Amino acid sequence: MAVLKEGSRPPWVGLAAAVWVQIAAGNAYTFPLYSPALKSVLGFSQQQLTIIGVANDIGENVGILPGIACNKFPPWVILLVGVCLSFFGYGVLWLAVSQTVLSLPYWVLWLALVVATNSSAWMGTAVLVTNMRNFPLSRGTVAGLLKGYVGLSAAVFTEIFAMVLNNSASELLLFLALGIPIICLAMMYFIRACTPASSEDSSEHAHFLFTQAASVLLAVYLLTTTILKNALSLNSSISYTLAGVMVIFLMSPLAIPLKMTLFPSRHKRSGKLGGSSNNLTEEEVDSSQTASLLTPISSEADLGSFHEGEDVSEVDMLLAVGEGAVKKKRKPRRGEDFKFREAVIKADFWLLWLAYFLGVGSGVTVLNNLAQIGVAFGANDTTILLSLFSFCNFLGRLGAGVVSEHFVRSKTIPRTFWMMVTQIIMIVTFLLYASALSGTLYAATALLGICFGVQFGVMIPTASELFGLKHFGIIFNFMQLGNPIGALLFSGLLAGYVYDTEAAKQQGSHCLGPNCFRLTFLVLAGVSAFGAFLSMILTIRIRPVYQLLYAAGSFRLAQASDH
């Protein structure tokens, strides 16, 4: 694959295309939109429905295979796998809900949803890993932005569901089976690796600010139009117009590469090679691919200035070993490139995994049961709840990237500090749900959405900073296993059982009143308290590392590999 020059236009084209792919990758968040149809048309109990919801989370977050594949194949291959999974998985679900095929076994539908939502893992891995490597100097910002659009996707699909598809679950599933593959096939060409810039400049900062502002405007627009749709009776022409404006907002990141094409910068970076990208020699490319990703500038010789793959003579290497400058087979240190088997034996790895598991596992329990929670609390339209959660989830992801990036550079505060803060807020949120006080449903949902989003926005750049970007795909996807495991334990086993038990007491298939989920919320409050404790321990452990890597700007982010 050709390697592109640093600072060239393609990274921003790829980022703009990644926005669309990330919206498509958020298809797993549509489960609350069609789950009532699964329950009514197919006659599922609430516990059966929550177990189906676990399939939704397993498919979305089991990304070990795409994590391995992203180091072996170009991004378009990873996206193509996601296209096929989406088509076949949602296609089977559409056949069942539309009753085109009758009496499909429960296990077939469960597997179909795993396959369908596993497309999210392939799509998300392709664009996230590629763009994190393309923008290694702004990894927190990029992670927050891209995962923010995934969080916002629920509101996008809700808009399509309400304004274009007339609240039809079968039409939504058909749209997911056909529309997602079309989007990914159209964007496939633009998602590609390139050589990242070796230093930051003001124009890049301005471009990120523009993209973030555009995403916030889109989020506000989606929330506003969803409320209008439920408050007013809009005819089809107005609904289609509002959906069209949403598409224009989604296209806004393309303004950056267009501006760079029409008004190219005359600024020349020092050391930039002239001519085409082919002037980069293989030795330069290989060297950039094997360099350490976060190497503190230090006078200590044993930090390892010599790495495998660099052009160092054998005599020089032997002399370096003799003088103690190089230690043979030295294990990687925090901030350098870890292989998965090297990372998985570290205490930091498991502390981050456990804190993330407790944070997202409790949050996804509410998300998977949001429609039923709304009905139990007397909400007339649960689509507003989903849009509110999506909007706040987006703010949490985007804000986590921006805020943590600022404080990690200016105060050397590890990003996990914000994971701890939000998990403390989650304790209060779950207690609000359990109390069932009048008027607290929407406030609690908004708070939980923000806190849930922060878990994603913090975990991703933290994993890359502690363990490097070279094998980031598999490390990040292993971290994400916390989501389905949490969903199985807290949603499938706990929430589903509590709901069905209370529904049986009320002698009906639906449960009404705060008791439907009260015990669940109290348990989740305890889970969040433990998660906050683990986040605090991790923050204390890694603070000295961040002080070394970021203090006074004494850090170097080497160019990431493009394979």
Side-chain angles (χ1 to χ4, degrees), residues 52-137:
I52 286 282
V54 171
N56 184 79
D57 295 303
I58 289 175
E60 179 190 8
N61 295 285
V62 177
I64 301 299
L65 288 179
I68 296 172
C70 70
N71 272 9
K72 298 180 181 297
F73 301 100
W76 70 266
V77 174
I78 313 300
L79 287 173
L80 187 60
V81 175
V83 164
C84 296
L85 294 175
S86 177
F87 175 76
F88 288 109
Y90 284 114
V92 171
L93 291 172
W94 172 76
L95 291 175
V97 172
S98 65
Q99 297 185 305
T100 303
V101 175
L102 300 176
S103 302
L104 281 174
Y106 180 83
W107 66 268
V108 170
L109 297 175
W110 195 90
L111 287 177
L113 190 55
V114 170
V115 170
T117 55
N118 194 234
S119 65
S120 300
W122 290 84
M123 297 171 194
T125 298
V127 298
L128 183 63
V129 172
T130 301
N131 280 279
M132 290 276 282
R133 289 171 175 173
N134 287 348
F135 296 96
L137 297 173

Side-chain angles (χ1 to χ4, degrees), residues 329-344:
K329 297 182 180 179
R330 179 178 65 81
K331 294 181 180 180
R333 304 183 180 206
R334 288 160 166 159
E336 297 177 348
D337 284 325
F338 282 72
K339 295 179 180 178
F340 177 72
R341 64 177 178 271
E342 294 171 332
V344 79

